[in-house]
């Protein structure tokens, strides 16, 4: 990204958030601290994975050894145990060797990692849930201020400038969820819709369940008067998660609502969409 593009992003943020230049520099300094925190966490996670892989490697070694000896014994138990050396090895495996295996099964690494995390949370700068909500609100305000298309923002295009960063289905889901938490069903619909589209593209590459997206999207559609759409989305949800009790109840409720307005089943029941002003 060129310096002028960086300046454009800062300009957009300063306009949308009404920041003074001093406040903007302070905000950027705070964000730099978060990147420092992230570096430490990445290193810690890599070390944890490496240690766990080594632990599992040793457990597999024990398991393979036990299996090999047991398979040999199973060929002829009497003959195997008649050998005093084998008899000794069976006892050894089920005492000393098994205790060693048990020691590897106890996850000391996890406790050490959690102790490190506790220390990091005291020494490093971590954002709060309120910070997450504020960051989401700022992005939505930016979207509204410059009338940015949801898909374009998700692709990393801001006010005509294409950046390398893009949003995943999980990222879009979180923006929708944050909107939902403030009862901003307009933005919830936009971002849950984008999350659904990206979920289809990413397939197994996302850790957000499709039924969760559908649940938020259906209810937000309903709250904007789009009852038939809400019903269709809920039916799709129930095909994935048939025992979802809230969805089952919502389906019946939406069906009853449509019966009350039979002439409007193919259109939005409320003509004026609900849009929160952030």
């Amino acid at each position: 990204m060129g310096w002028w593009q960086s300046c454009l992003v800062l300009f957009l943020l300063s306009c949308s958030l009404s920041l003074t230049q001093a406040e903007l520099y302070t905000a950027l300094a705070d964000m730099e601290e978060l990147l420092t925190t992230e570096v430490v966490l990445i290193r810690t996670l890599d070390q944890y994975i490496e240690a766990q892989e080594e632990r599992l490697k040793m457990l597999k070694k024990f398991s393979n050894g036990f299996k090999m000896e047991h398979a040999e014994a199973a060929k002829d138990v009497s003959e195997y145990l008649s050998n005093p050396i084998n008899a000794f090895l069976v006892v050894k495996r089920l005492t000393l060797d098994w205790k060693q295996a048990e020691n590897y099964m106890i996850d000391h690494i996890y406790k050490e990692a959690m102790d490190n995390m506790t220390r990091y949370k005291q020494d490093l700068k971590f954002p709060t849930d309120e910070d997450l909500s504020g960051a989401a609100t700022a992005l939505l305000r930016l979207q509204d201020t410059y009338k940015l298309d949801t898909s374009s923002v998700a692709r990393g295009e801001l006010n005509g400038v294409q950046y390398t960063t893009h949003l995943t289905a999980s990222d879009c889901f979180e923006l929708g969820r944050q909107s939902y938490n403030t009862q901003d069903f307009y933005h919830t619909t936009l971002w849950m819709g984008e999350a659904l589209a990206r979920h289809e593209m990413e397939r197994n590459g996302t850790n957000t369940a499709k039924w969760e997206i559908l649940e938020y999207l259906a209810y937000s559609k309903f709250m904007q008067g789009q009852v038939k759409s809400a019903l269709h989305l809920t039916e799709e949800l129930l095909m994935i998660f048939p025992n979802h009790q809230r969805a089952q109840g919502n389906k019946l409720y939406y069906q009853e609502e449509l019966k009350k307005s039979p002439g409007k089943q193919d259109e939005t029941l409320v003509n004026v969409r609900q849009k929160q002003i952030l």
Side-chain angles (χ1 to χ4, degrees):
M1 182 190 305
W3 68 268
W4 63 272
Q5 291 176 313
S6 299
C7 290
L8 176 59
V9 172
L10 299 183
F11 172 74
L12 293 176
L13 287 173
S14 62
C15 290
S16 63
L17 300 178
S18 301
L19 296 176
T20 65
Q21 190 173 38
E23 289 172 331
L24 185 59
Y25 286 143
T26 300
L28 289 175
D30 288 340
M31 294 302 293
E32 287 179 4
E33 285 190 61
L34 296 185
L35 289 178
T36 300
T37 297
E38 191 170 46
V39 168
V40 175
L41 295 184
I42 291 171
R43 183 172 64 246
T44 301
L45 183 58
D46 285 342
Q47 291 171 345
Y48 177 75
I49 292 171
E50 184 178 343
Q52 288 288 23
E53 287 176 342
E54 184 62 29
R55 183 175 71 90
L56 292 175
K57 179 180 177 181
M58 291 302 299
L59 283 172
K60 287 179 180 179
K61 182 178 179 180
F62 275 110
S63 178
N64 291 335
F66 292 151
K67 288 176 182 177
M68 184 174 66
E69 287 299 325
H70 187 80
E72 185 65 27
K75 292 177 181 177
D76 190 327
V77 175
S78 297
E79 181 180 349
Y80 182 85
L81 293 178
S82 65
N83 184 332
I85 295 177
N86 288 339
F88 164 74
L89 291 176
V90 169
V91 176
K92 176 179 175 291
R93 284 200 301 275
L94 294 178
T95 52
L96 180 62
D97 293 351
W98 182 250
K99 285 179 181 178
Q100 290 177 343
E102 277 186 325
N103 189 52
Y104 280 102
M105 292 171 68
I106 299 172
D107 195 350
H108 301 290
I109 300 169
Y110 174 78
K111 183 180 184 305
E112 182 181 347
M114 290 302 99
D115 289 342
N116 287 338
M117 285 302 303
T118 299
R119 188 175 73 254
Y120 293 153
K121 288 180 179 179
Q122 295 172 347
D123 299 338
L124 299 173
K125 185 179 183 66
F126 279 81
T128 64
D129 289 341
E130 288 75 14
D131 292 325
L132 175 59
S133 178
T137 298
L139 187 54
L140 297 178
R141 184 178 297 169
L142 185 69
Q143 180 183 11
D144 285 349
T145 300
Y146 295 96
K147 297 180 174 58
L148 303 177
D149 175 68
T150 304
S151 295
S152 297
V153 176
R155 289 195 305 271
E157 182 182 326
L158 297 177
N159 216 29
V161 179
Q162 181 65 56
Y163 298 92
T164 56
T165 304
H166 69 277
L167 300 178
T168 64
S170 294
D171 297 330
C172 295
F173 175 83
E174 184 56 30
L175 282 168
R177 194 182 70 86
Q178 290 291 335
S179 301
Y180 180 89
N181 289 342
T182 59
Q183 297 188 339
D184 176 4
F185 300 113
Y186 169 67
H187 282 105
T188 304
T189 299
L190 290 180
W191 284 101
M192 287 300 173
E194 187 64 28
L196 186 61
R198 289 183 171 269
H199 188 282
E200 295 300 320
M201 291 188 291
E202 295 172 17
R203 296 293 179 180
N204 297 326
T206 179
N207 55 6
T208 300
K210 184 177 180 179
W211 68 264
E212 288 187 274
I213 301 173
L214 290 169
E215 183 176 18
Y216 279 98
L217 184 56
Y219 186 75
S220 298
K221 290 275 190 179
F222 169 74
M223 291 301 292
Q224 294 185 96
Q226 301 175 42
V227 184
K228 189 172 184 181
S229 178
L231 176 60
H232 288 330
L233 290 166
T234 303
E235 289 173 337
E236 185 177 353
L237 186 164
L238 288 169
M239 290 179 65
I240 301 171
F241 194 164
N243 297 324
H244 194 297
Q245 293 185 351
R246 185 165 53 248
Q248 291 172 344
N250 286 347
K251 178 182 176 180
L252 294 175
Y253 184 76
Y254 298 156
Q255 288 173 333
E256 288 299 317
E257 287 296 302
L258 286 173
K259 288 179 182 178
K260 295 177 184 178
S261 306
K264 296 185 178 181
Q265 291 189 17
D266 294 323
E267 62 185 50
T268 302
L269 298 182
V270 177
N271 293 324
V272 180
R273 70 184 181 184
Q274 177 180 352
K275 180 174 180 180
Q276 301 286 335
I277 304 300
L278 299 177

